[in-house]
């Protein structure tokens, strides 16, 4: 099996870029998070807040109408665009020009939403992070993978990965099948787990941060926001994936002495992003 490259402090120092002294929100990147459905607007809220807290200058969400007041109240810093439908996304249209798009958290898999994703992929040219239900929809329509831009970042948890690449019977088979998938579709795959591994063609990276406190609802939605933020800030896709996964894990390592494993929730990831950044810049 291919030896992994460990994602540690040294690997991060090579990739991290300090924001310039004269930067402004217009050049810190504009990210768009697309997702949400009735009862799952929280997933987009978490993603969008994490996106902002990872340094993106501007964040817009595209959600079904039912999420409008929720989002505007929960995170006043985020701009909100709504679908024509109340409870699900059915037609993804926008006039902004984001540098990166994260799609999938809380999206649901209704047939109208599947069609909307297909239409979106046919015309989209922006760098993408694909998570959750957007991955599940792609798993049911594998021919649409030819529409995703090269170096798109997919962030499956083990069940989503299985839906995408099929069952495996050993760790080695899982890695090898994911490498084949990555090469075939020219995508970067963040295989979330303990530990998270990132596959970019033949190259395998293994994260060294994080702990079981992350086994909590919404922590993956937060990761999607963080990686999308870094992508919008002009990090290369592989660096955005590596830095995002490392910082995400670091928040749990930093918080653990205060929260213990049990009381740590996805919002605690977001609350500790600042400390995580500070600890990689010392
Ligand atoms: N507040 C909100 O709005 C939230 C909204 N959310 C949104 O909900 C939507 C559905 O997403 P989802 O991931 O909950 O459902 P789904 O894809 O069926 O996977 C669940 C199954 O996968 C497995 N599994 C998972 N992790 C595993 C692991 N580490 N290791 C091994 N297995 C693992 C496990 O399967 P089992 O082991 O039980 O067979 C589990 O039952 C999606 O849009 C998401 O964004 C959520 O993010 C929560 C907060
Ligand atoms: N035991 C664990 N140790 C380390 N990281 C974990 C553990 N359990 C979950 N995680 C991390 O938490 C996140 C969970 O993502 P996901 O399953 O998509 O959650 P959600 O869909 O609820 O947001 C992933 O980044 C995963 O690596
Ligand atoms: Mg998830």
């Amino acid at each position: 099996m291919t030896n992994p490259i460990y994602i540690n402090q040294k690997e991060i120092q090579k990739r991290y870029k300090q924001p310039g002294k004269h930067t402004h929100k217009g050049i810190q990147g504009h990210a768009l998070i697309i997702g949400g459905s009735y009862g799952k607007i929280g997933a987009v809220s978490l993603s969008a807040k994490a996106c902002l807290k990872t340094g993106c200058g501007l964040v817009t969400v595209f959600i079904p109408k039912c999420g409008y007041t929720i989002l505007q109240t929960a995170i006043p810093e985020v701009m909100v665009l709504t679908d024509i439908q109340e409870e699900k996304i059915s037609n993804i249209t926008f006039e902004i020009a984001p540098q990166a798009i994260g799609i999938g958290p809380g999206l649901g898999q209704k047939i109208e939403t599947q069609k909307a994703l297909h239409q979106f992929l046919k015309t989209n040219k922006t760098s993408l992070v694909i998570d959750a239900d957007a991955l599940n929809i792609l798993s049911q329509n594998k021919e649409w993978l030819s529409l995703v831009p090269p170096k798109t970042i997919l962030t499956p948890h083990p069940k989503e990965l299985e839906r995408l690449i099929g069952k495996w019977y050993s760790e080695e088979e899982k890695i090898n099948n994911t490498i084949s998938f990555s090469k075939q579709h020219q995508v970067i795959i963040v295989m979330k787990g303990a530990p998270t591994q990132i596959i970019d063609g033949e190259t395998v990276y293994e994260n060294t941060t994080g702990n079981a406190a992350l086994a909590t609802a919404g922590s993956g939605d937060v990761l999607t926001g963080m990686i999308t933020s870094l992508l919008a800030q002009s990090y290369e896709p592989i660096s955005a994936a590596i830095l995002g996964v490392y910082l995400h894990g670091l928040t749990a390592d930093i918080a653990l002495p205060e929260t213990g494993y049990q009381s740590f929730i996805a919002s605690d990831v977001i609350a500790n992003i600042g400390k995580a950044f500070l600890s990689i810049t010392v």
Side-chain angles (χ1 to χ4, degrees):
M1 195 154 62
T2 323
N3 280 335
I5 296 171
Y6 288 101
I7 306 173
N8 51 26
Q9 187 88 356
K10 198 168 143 230
E11 187 64 35
I12 292 301
Q13 301 294 358
K14 283 199 308 210
R15 296 173 190 270
Y16 172 71
K17 296 182 289 189
Q18 182 97 27
K21 195 173 171 193
H22 299 289
T23 192
H24 59 78
K25 66 173 190 250
I27 49 177
Q28 274 301 112
H30 186 176
L32 175 64
I33 305 289
I34 303 173
S37 54
Y38 183 82
K40 288 188 178 153
I41 297 299
V44 189
S45 283
L46 288 164
S47 225
K49 190 160 184 187
C51 191
L52 268 176
K53 293 276 276 181
T54 306
C56 208
L58 298 166
V59 177
T60 300
V61 296
F62 186 93
I63 53 173
K65 271 201 170 73
C66 66
Y68 181 76
T69 308
I70 301 168
L71 238 307
Q72 293 271 261
T73 314
I75 331 171
E77 294 89 346
V78 165
M79 295 173 280
V80 182
L81 299 171
T82 57
D83 193 86
I84 46 172
Q85 290 239 11
E86 193 61 31
E87 299 192 351
K88 59 186 169 296
I89 285 177
S90 65
N91 184 17
I92 303 168
T93 51
F94 49 85
E95 284 168 10
I96 56 170
Q99 282 78 46
I101 299 176
I103 186 162
L107 183 67
Q109 299 179 55
K110 290 266 165 40
I111 191 70
E112 296 97 315
T113 307
Q114 300 206 13
K115 284 183 185 155
L117 178 66
H118 191 200
Q119 270 312 114
F120 166 75
L121 291 175
K122 278 188 196 167
T123 53
N124 173 65
K125 300 266 184 295
T126 306
S127 304
L128 278 186
V129 180
I130 306 185
D131 184 31
D133 289 322
L135 285 176
N136 294 329
I137 294 172
L138 278 180
S139 296
Q140 293 172 57
N141 300 279
K142 295 224 173 67
E143 63 285 4
W144 299 357
L145 277 159
S146 65
L147 301 171
V148 308
K151 297 289 174 189
T152 288
I153 301 167
L154 312 186
T155 62
H157 63 46
K159 198 78 179 181
E160 289 158 348
L161 184 67
E162 187 188 305
R163 291 174 188 134
L164 210 52
I165 69 165
K167 265 196 185 313
W168 55 84
Y169 297 93
S170 67
E171 276 305 296
E172 189 173 1
E173 191 184 1
K174 176 173 82 170
I175 298 275
N176 287 338
N177 292 355
T178 309
I179 288 174
S180 300
F181 190 93
S182 166
K183 283 175 20 186
Q184 185 187 349
H185 301 289
Q186 288 188 280
V187 292
I188 293 169
I189 305 174
V190 175
M191 301 163 66
K192 294 186 295 194
T196 290
Q197 290 165 318
I198 300 174
I199 308 284
D200 183 11
E202 295 276 349
T203 314
V204 180
Y205 299 88
E206 187 166 305
N207 192 31
T208 59
T209 59
N211 59 68
L214 289 166
T216 184
S219 66
D221 302 326
V222 167
L223 177 67
T224 296
M226 294 176 74
I227 297 175
T228 307
S229 182
L230 295 165
L231 204 52
Q233 290 169 66
S234 307
Y235 279 93
E236 288 300 315
I238 188 61
S239 292
I242 286 173
L243 192 52
V245 162
Y246 185 85
L247 286 168
H248 180 261
L250 205 49
T251 64
D253 294 342
I254 291 167
L256 192 65
E258 298 241 323
T259 62
Y261 291 106
Q262 293 86 349
S263 88
F264 184 90
I265 59 171
S267 294
D268 294 318
V269 176
I270 297 172
N272 283 283
I273 293 173
K275 285 184 185 161
F277 267 114
L278 288 173
S279 88
I280 64 165
T281 53
V282 290

